[in-house]
């Protein structure tokens, strides 16, 4: 089973963890609200877990252009 972190804006694979057992508290998932967990964490049919996050480039773009927060998608 893999835990795959992808940028929700550009799709870039930020990182991948190969884990047999998951300690959700160690990964910080217990700090997320139920709504955020539903938006960010997807369980795939093959057993992998996909996490929607944000990469450094997209975070920098949002920091430089705060008006992008109003858009559903800011990368064309």
């Amino acid at each position: 089973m893999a835990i795959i972190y992808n940028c929700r804006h550009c799709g870039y694979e930020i990182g991948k963890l190969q884990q047999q057992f998951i300690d959700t508290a160690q990964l910080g998932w217990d700090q997320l609200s139920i709504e955020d967990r539903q938006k960010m964490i997807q369980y795939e049919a093959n057993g992998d877990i996909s996490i929607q996050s944000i990469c450094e480039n997209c975070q920098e773009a949002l920091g430089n252009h705060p008006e992008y927060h109003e858009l559903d998608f800011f990368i064309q």
Side-chain angles (χ1 to χ4, degrees), residues 7-68:
C7 180
R8 66 176 169 236
H9 299 287
C10 69
Y12 175 75
E13 185 177 300
I14 300 166
K16 186 181 218 179
L17 302 171
Q18 295 290 338
Q19 297 288 329
Q20 290 295 338
F21 300 99
I22 300 169
D23 180 356
T24 57
Q26 187 179 23
L27 294 174
W29 297 357
D30 61 329
Q31 302 295 312
L32 297 172
S33 68
I34 293 170
E35 295 82 20
D36 285 342
R37 275 187 234 150
Q38 290 173 341
K39 288 179 190 175
M40 295 176 66
I41 303 172
Q42 297 176 355
Y43 297 89
E44 306 296 338
N46 66 356
D48 289 351
I49 301 172
S50 295
I51 310 296
Q52 298 297 308
S53 188
I54 186 168
C55 70
E56 290 178 5
N57 291 333
C58 290
Q59 180 63 42
E60 182 178 343
L62 286 168
N64 291 335
H65 303 279
E67 67 276 10
Y68 288 176

